Amino acid sequence: MNDKAMSALNRGVKVLHDPIRNKGTAFTEADRKALHLTGLLPPRVHSPAEQEQRVLGNIRSKSTDLEKYLYLVALQDRNETLFYRVVMNNIQEMMPLIYTPTVGQACQEFQHIYRRPRGFYISANDRGNVKNVLQNWPHTDTKIIVITDGERILGLGDLGAQGMGIPIGKLSLYTACAGIHPTQCMPVMLDVGTNNDALLNDPLYNGIEQRRMRGKAYDDLLDEFIQAANEVFPGVLIQFEDFGNINAFSLLDKYRDKINCFNDDIQGTAAVVLSGIIGALRITGGKLSEQRLLFLGAGEAGIGTADTFVAALVEQGIPVKTARRQCFFYDTKGLLTSDREHIQHHKQRFARKVAPVESFLEAIETLKPTAILGLSGQPGSFSKEIIEAMGKINKRPIIFALSNPTSKAECTAEQAYKWTEGRAIFASGSPFDPVKLGNQTHVPGQGNNVYIFPGVGLGAIVSGARRVTDEMFLAAAHSLANQVLEEDLAAGNVYPPLGKIREVCATIAYEVAKIAWDKGLTDRERPQDLLAEIKAQMYQPVYPHYA
Ligand code: NAD
């Protein structure tokens, strides 16, 4: 066989094993001839719809969610177009498998289920060499990086290098929901060690065997990564994900005005929760300025949400100090009062001059909040007494159990509805099924930042924004709230249905991109029809032609 024939053969086999270009049994007769694939595939050509049917049959026949997850990961590794077709056409069913809650279990068991590499690892051992290492990434058009150091994976704590499942899952959602092309997405695990002894003692653990790097060495590695990423992929958007709060706030403060970045746990969560509150007020008829928020948990998500809530009130002309007075925090040390000793920097602005209380229940009884927001990772912490107390104070109490995964939710949907005789306006971070009480079916909303980050990222990428600003997240929150339909609100759901997520993301992207142009954050020329341009750029899972 001559060289030319050999290279034609190789090309075909390479296409077959390249998940981005592979079509599996959907290679047409003409494709097969052109790529010399005849004989390498079963002879019958299937349509993408038939392939999807086969995949769904396989998924639905698996008995556990983790098996379904593994099946989907394997599909993504061999045929991304089909993977995204299946995910996008069945988003309600697939989202809990590729994202929370199943992704949490996948991270916990990563050392046992590991099969093929996906995403990119940078470890403490790469110090001084990060730029060279980054150049091993096979795609040059990277537009977005989601990076974690695995210290606070969902509400599951420090999972070290096993946290890689999170950036992979988030970026799959960037593609499925916001249409960022899969080759433009780069999941990164910054492996700086772990303080999880069980993992360190496990011979199958695949991260570096050391305790977490802290202090200057950590900061220097982060700095090196940020600089190298911007050199290798100029202007890349970096999303910080599931960092411990010991680093999350300081990283955001350090980089937000220097590079194109945001922290999803602080800013993304904030926007989705604010949107949920605005949605709830469309049900109750209340005003944002009248809301008293009591947070369980004063970490990244809680403080970020309170800051964004305050920003929304400031937008309405209310002074910052007055707005902050509407927010109360209860954490591991009890109610956050100004006489507490050693208050961490990010909490100080919310420390309040109020009398101490003995419990979260007492905090509810004395502060009379209109909403309780669970961002603590403590399952069951919204007890019957707590929910009943909210029901006594409020006609329609807002109860958001936002901790992930489902096993960490502060209460279940059923508990919230049952203990308030169906009056609660409930949302949760991970999905709960609708609850039937008497004649009414209550549909819990999923207050998850998946409604926000893909659209914000898309808007920033399409506009070429140099920065992602708080104003963009506020606009995203308003945009999301405006997209909730009356019929969803009637069923108690304060978020749009997941089936509309592509539309939701495109509309959020439009609002974000508009700010980029209005505030001079981009040098790109503004398209005549921005929304049409955004939609046109969104990836569709359609096979290429080879013949
Ligand atoms: P974090 O570690 O920054 O903060 C956790 C907070 O909870 C801390 O203030 C801690 O003091 C408090 N806490 C812990 N145990 C407590 C207890 N027994 N009583 C009272 N407070 C307690 O974490 P985070 O980033 O703020 O995330 C917290 C939770 O929110 C996680 O479970 C995470 O999955 C969830 N979250 C959900 C979304 C979403 O989209 N729904 C987004 C981000 C985070």
Side-chain angles (χ1 to χ4, degrees):
M1 191 183 297
N2 66 26
D3 285 355
K4 211 169 151 201
M6 196 67 174
S7 90
L9 273 179
N10 278 340
R11 178 170 170 247
V13 173
K14 272 190 188 153
V15 170
L16 197 60
H17 292 286
D18 174 352
I20 294 290
R21 294 184 295 164
N22 185 19
K23 299 166 72 165
T25 57
F27 279 110
T28 61
E29 299 286 0
D31 286 334
R32 293 171 190 217
K33 267 199 192 115
L35 293 170
H36 297 273
L37 291 177
T38 313
L40 297 182
L41 288 158
R44 169 122 180 229
V45 176
H46 281 114
S47 68
E50 286 165 335
Q51 290 184 305
E52 179 181 340
Q53 199 187 340
R54 175 163 43 223
V55 167
L56 287 174
N58 273 294
I59 294 173
R60 289 170 186 161
S61 72
K62 311 257 172 241
S63 50
T64 69
D65 286 348
L66 193 62
E67 285 174 56
K68 295 178 189 199
Y69 173 88
L70 289 173
Y71 180 87
L72 281 162
V73 167
L75 175 63
Q76 193 176 18
D77 281 343
R78 63 173 188 273
N79 184 339
E80 289 213 38
T81 315
L82 182 56
F83 169 82
Y84 282 112
R85 182 189 164 101
V86 170
V87 170
M88 286 163 60
N89 287 347
N90 306 276
I91 193 83
Q92 189 98 23
E93 182 180 351
M94 298 301 145
M95 180 106 71
L97 299 174
I98 62 167
Y99 188 49
T100 182
T102 312
V103 72
Q105 190 190 355
C107 289
Q108 287 175 305
E109 299 188 25
F110 201 72
Q111 75 276 47
H112 303 294
I113 62 174
Y114 178 82
R115 286 172 192 190
R116 277 182 64 149
R118 178 167 275 273
F120 199 81
Y121 291 85
I122 293 165
S123 83
N125 302 334
D126 297 318
R127 258 182 295 172
N129 197 28
V130 172
K131 186 173 171 190
N132 284 335
V133 172
L134 272 181
Q135 281 161 343
N136 292 339
W137 184 243
H139 309 292
T140 50
D141 57 346
T142 301
K143 296 274 188 264
I144 173 140
I145 289 174
V146 175
I147 181 170
T148 186
D149 71 358
E151 185 161 13
R152 199 238 65 205
I153 293 300
L154 305 171
L156 303 168
D158 183 351
L159 295 183
Q162 313 224 133
M164 179 55 118
I166 296 294
I168 292 172
K170 292 259 168 177
L171 284 162
S172 295
L173 296 180
Y174 263 108
T175 302
C177 304
I180 312 287
H181 195 280
T183 60
Q184 296 180 330
C185 299
M186 182 178 187
V188 175
M189 157 52 62
L190 189 75
D191 183 1
V192 294
T194 178
N195 292 347
N196 183 325
D197 289 322
L199 291 178
L200 286 175
N201 292 327
D202 184 340
L204 293 185
Y205 175 59
N206 23 25
I208 54 172
E209 291 173 72
Q210 65 170 56
R211 298 194 80 74
R212 278 191 177 275
M213 194 161 88
R214 298 279 189 212
K216 187 170 177 326
Y218 178 92
D219 294 344
D220 288 350
L221 182 64
L222 232 304
D223 256 346
E224 189 185 340
F225 166 76
I226 297 278
Q227 199 177 329
N230 274 283
E231 283 171 26
V232 180
F233 313 111
V236 67
L237 173 60
I238 296 178
Q239 172 172 327
F240 295 112
E241 190 66 48
D242 286 5
F243 281 72
N245 71 28
I246 184 173
N247 291 310
F249 288 100
S250 54
L251 286 178
L252 183 61
D253 284 350
K254 183 169 172 186
Y255 293 115
R256 63 183 306 155
D257 296 326
K258 293 198 186 117
I259 60 151
N260 200 9
C261 70
F262 68 93
N263 180 303
D264 185 39
D265 303 296
I266 300 174
Q267 298 164 286
T269 314
V272 84
V273 180
L274 174 64
S275 169
I277 294 171
I278 297 172
L281 300 181
R282 283 178 58 191
I283 298 176
T284 65
K287 286 192 190 142
L288 203 60
S289 57
E290 293 163 351
Q291 301 312 303
R292 287 163 72 81
L293 312 185
L294 175 59
F295 292 83
L296 186 71
E300 297 163 53
I303 298 290
T305 300
D307 278 335
T308 303
F309 172 77
V310 168
L313 291 186
V314 169
E315 209 179 35
Q316 297 182 355
I318 294 167
V320 176
K321 278 193 175 160
T322 314
R324 283 193 186 139
R325 273 188 231 127
Q326 310 288 108
C327 301
F328 303 88
F329 283 90
Y330 194 99
D331 62 11
T332 38
K333 295 184 181 151
L335 194 61
L336 179 59
T337 61
S338 44
D339 49 13
R340 182 188 286 187
E341 280 175 17
H342 310 301
I343 302 176
Q344 285 164 285
H345 175 72
H346 61 267
K347 296 182 188 174
Q348 283 168 5
R349 56 189 171 277
F350 291 107
R352 302 291 310 280
K353 269 201 182 103
V354 285
V357 294
E358 290 293 318
S359 64
F360 190 64
L361 177 62
E362 197 185 330
I364 292 176
E365 287 163 348
T366 49
L367 301 170
K368 306 210 175 339
T370 53
I372 50 173
L373 307 165
L375 288 159
S376 64
Q378 299 303 309
S381 47
F382 288 174
S383 63
K384 187 161 187 266
E385 293 70 33
I386 282 171
I387 291 174
E388 283 175 352
M390 282 299 287
K392 258 187 218 146
I393 299 166
N394 301 283
K395 220 156 105 185
R396 299 295 310 266
I398 299 172
I399 297 174
F400 287 179
L402 296 158
S403 288
N404 293 323
T406 318
S407 61
K408 299 287 175 185
E410 284 77 7
C411 66
T412 65
E414 189 178 3
Q415 290 168 337
Y417 294 128
K418 218 160 103 187
W419 294 336
T420 57
E421 306 86 31
R423 290 178 293 123
I425 300 174
F426 176 82
S428 54
S430 300
F432 279 104
D433 288 334
V435 176
K436 199 157 188 304
L437 273 192
N439 291 333
Q440 202 176 350
T441 301
H442 302 268
V443 180
Q446 192 180 349
N448 193 290
N449 41 23
V450 65
Y451 278 114
I452 297 291
F453 68 80
V456 170
L458 175 64
I461 290 169
V462 171
S463 63
R466 287 184 292 274
R467 297 287 176 271
V468 177
T469 62
D470 284 340
E471 190 185 353
M472 291 174 178
F473 280 98
L474 201 50
H478 286 301
S479 169
L480 179 60
N482 288 337
Q483 294 183 72
V484 187
L485 305 174
E486 291 300 331
E487 67 210 57
D488 296 320
L489 294 173
N493 186 355
V494 293
Y495 294 101
L498 276 178
K500 294 245 181 302
I501 191 93
R502 299 267 294 188
E503 189 65 32
V504 166
C505 286
T507 311
I508 290 177
Y510 168 78
E511 297 297 336
V512 167
K514 237 172 39 176
I515 293 173
W517 270 292
D518 292 349
K519 293 294 157 83
L521 292 167
T522 175
D523 300 324
R524 285 203 191 143
E525 202 175 318
R526 192 175 189 142
Q528 288 271 332
D529 185 341
L530 181 53
L531 187 59
E533 177 62 25
I534 286 169
K535 289 185 177 171
Q537 287 199 24
M538 288 168 79
Y539 163 85
Q540 296 287 350
V542 176
Y543 286 131
H545 292 294
Y546 294 99

